[in-house]
Amino acid sequence: MSNGLILGLMAFLFLFLGYMGVPVAFAIMAGVLAATILTPISLASIVGQLFYGIDSEALLAVPFFLLVGELMTSAHVVGRMINLANVMIGHMRGGLAQVVTLFSMFFAGISGSSTADVAVLTRTLAPSMDEEGYDRGFTAALIASASTMANLIPPSIMAVVYGATGNVSIAGLFLGGVVPGVLVGIGLMIYSHFFGPVGRLKPRATLGQLSDAAKASALPLMIPVIIMGGILTGWFTPTEAGMAAVIYILLVAIPFLARQHIRNIPRVFMYTGLLYSIPLITVAAASAFGWMLAYLKGPDVVAAWVEHTAGPDPMLILFLLVGVFIIVGDFVDAVPAIIIFMPIINRLTELGNINAVHMGVCIIVTLAFGLITPPYGITLLMASKFTNVRFSTAMFRSLPLYVVFLATIVFCILFPDVVLWLPKTVLPESVGCFKAPGGAGYICP
């Protein structure tokens, strides 16, 4: 059987079994095992590839970032950050809608998980929005959209997975995600102000109230400083930064802010372990799928098609690849999508001579958009379920918000210098810059 037919069989089994309700990891492995039978590759090699796919020190950052988010959420410390956001912008038109977006930007710097963001917002702010007359479809759509910033603003679990599997600087991806993350946040706030529900207008907070809210939030807001400060100064790797943040929460944040929660810490550890097992088995299966894809020369086939269509033009390559990932993100979770298609991404990055961090940021923003697009749209599904509204209603209300994401994706493609400005300024080595002769500054490609 030809490589093309085997690739088609792998894709068919994955999609068919996925839509039949088979867990993603097993649907992926079904395609890999079918290909193994039809190729000279031994079953032992594929099993070894499963373990090799998760044998990455960088991936250890993921459970620590998940644990940070779970500890902060279960201890109810995030309420202080919500209050700070409310004091800062709660007086604006659509005040609670603005607070949802601003808090998501705060919380994105702590957890790196969109699902954790949805869980927090639906428990804390959604009931208040319901009381103030916001329709639940808008509430679900906004919460789902705002939660995607957790995968853009560092630390981002998507960036960790992308960097670990694609051999790209995780710190560079963290810094590169700041601009699109802020653009999405500003876009959502502009839409909420001009086109969203009015809500209940509140008086502007006094300077004293702002000061009190900032003091109350000081300890939780130190977590992004610890994570990014440690990474950028070279003190920590991403994994060590996650560990340092967990230690800070256990020794400082919880004892000072939620001492009664100390007895629940073992339960949070166990829950986080179970939570991490879900993406871990998917990472293993997707790694084997991506390896088989590379063995069957799938990246060469796609690269040849792209080269025939777009040539070596980096802009056209990015637009074509983003178009593919918009479709992929509608059906596949971001983590397995990144791992499965990484051989193709690397091949096209070389073909177009595209900066690896710029390519990674564009792909991550596109896959973050896939979190709110049907039929997969996991954050939209969660938000609609937790707010007790039909998924179709939430999807309809989220359609105007798609414009914000599409505009951000196009901006990231057209203005790579803006996206890479922060990495080049703070950590030049992360984007391939090297020291000029004599040590006078850096030379960037």
Side-chain angles (χ1 to χ4, degrees):
M1 185 178 288
S2 68
N3 287 356
L5 289 175
I6 297 175
L7 287 169
L9 177 63
M10 289 173 63
F12 170 77
L13 286 174
F14 169 43
L15 295 174
F16 175 74
L17 293 175
Y19 276 102
M20 291 294 291
V22 176
V24 173
F26 297 107
I28 293 173
M29 277 309 302
V32 176
L33 293 175
T36 304
I37 295 171
L38 299 173
T39 58
I41 299 171
S42 67
L43 184 62
S45 297
I46 289 298
V47 173
Q49 187 58 39
L50 289 173
F51 287 96
Y52 178 77
I54 57 176
D55 185 20
S56 171
E57 182 182 345
L59 288 177
L60 285 175
V62 175
F64 288 110
F65 291 146
L66 287 173
L67 182 57
V68 167
E70 287 301 319
L71 286 170
M72 296 297 288
T73 302
S74 60
H76 306 293
V77 176
V78 292
R80 295 170 179 261
M81 293 186 292
I82 292 175
N83 184 52
L84 176 61
N86 197 21
V87 168
M88 291 173 66
I89 59 173
H91 60 276
M92 297 173 63
R93 184 186 186 277
L96 283 181
Q98 308 290 353
V99 170
V100 164
T101 305
L102 185 58
F103 167 75
S104 291
M105 297 174 78
F106 289 158
F107 195 62
I110 292 176
S111 73
S113 169
S114 292
T115 53
D117 202 345
V118 171
V120 171
L121 287 169
T122 50
R123 286 203 301 260
T124 54
L125 285 172
S128 299
M129 294 178 76
D130 206 19
E131 291 174 6
E132 291 196 10
Y134 291 83
D135 68 271
R136 292 185 178 180
F138 173 81
T139 299
L142 181 67
I143 288 175
S145 300
S147 69
T148 61
M149 289 187 287
N151 287 296
L152 304 177
I153 296 173
S156 160
I157 290 175
M158 274 193 202
V160 172
V161 173
Y162 189 100
T165 56
N167 196 26
V168 181
S169 168
I170 295 175
L173 292 170
F174 279 179
L175 292 171
V178 171
V179 168
V182 171
L183 287 177
V184 168
I186 292 173
L188 294 177
M189 293 177 77
I190 291 173
Y191 175 82
S192 298
H193 182 78
F194 290 103
F195 305 104
V198 177
R200 187 182 302 162
L201 297 177
K202 307 179 186 69
R204 185 186 297 268
T206 64
L207 190 60
Q209 290 174 321
L210 179 60
S211 176
D212 291 342
K215 290 177 182 177
S217 303
L219 289 180
L221 291 177
M222 278 298 296
I223 296 172
V225 177
I226 292 171
I227 293 173
M228 290 307 299
I231 292 173
L232 298 180
T233 56
W235 291 354
F236 304 139
T237 64
T239 301
E240 292 166 347
M243 294 172 63
V246 169
I247 293 171
Y248 171 80
I249 294 171
L250 293 177
L251 299 183
V252 179
I254 290 180
F256 278 94
L257 303 179
R259 184 170 298 178
Q260 71 280 1
H261 183 68
I262 292 177
R263 63 178 180 272
N264 296 325
I265 289 176
R267 186 184 307 166
V268 176
F269 270 77
M270 288 187 289
Y271 178 74
T272 303
L274 292 172
L275 201 62
Y276 180 52
S277 67
I278 298 172
L280 192 65
I281 188 174
T282 307
V283 166
S287 297
F289 195 102
W291 185 87
M292 181 64 75
L293 193 68
Y295 173 82
L296 296 172
K297 301 188 183 304
D300 294 335
V301 173
V302 175
W305 173 76
V306 171
E307 188 172 14
H308 175 74
T309 306
D313 188 325
M315 291 294 178
L316 287 178
I317 289 174
L318 279 169
F319 274 112
L320 285 172
L321 197 55
V322 160
V324 169
F325 272 93
I326 287 177
I327 297 172
V328 168
D330 293 342
F331 300 95
V332 184
D333 185 54
V335 169
I338 289 171
I339 299 171
I340 289 171
F341 290 96
M342 186 55 71
I344 295 174
I345 295 171
N346 288 337
R347 181 72 178 85
L348 294 179
T349 301
E350 295 174 4
L351 175 64
N353 194 27
I354 302 168
N355 185 282
V357 171
H358 180 220
M359 172 69 88
V361 171
C362 292
I363 297 298
I364 290 169
V365 175
T366 305
L367 289 173
F369 175 46
L371 297 175
I372 60 169
T373 55
Y376 180 70
I378 183 65
T379 61
L380 195 61
L381 280 167
M382 289 179 61
S384 59
K385 179 180 179 180
F386 292 158
T387 55
N388 196 26
V389 66
R390 293 180 61 182
F391 177 74
S392 57
T393 302
M395 183 192 69
F396 178 77
R397 292 306 306 267
S398 67
L399 291 178
L401 302 178
Y402 289 179
V403 176
V404 173
F405 288 88
L406 293 173
T408 302
I409 293 169
V410 171
F411 181 91
C412 290
I413 294 174
L414 295 180
F415 300 100
D417 289 338
V418 179
V419 174
L420 297 177
W421 172 78
L422 199 55
K424 286 182 178 179
T425 303
V426 179
L427 205 63
E429 296 91 344
S430 67
V431 288
C433 299
F434 56 92
K435 285 189 175 182
Y442 285 84
I443 298 176
C444 296

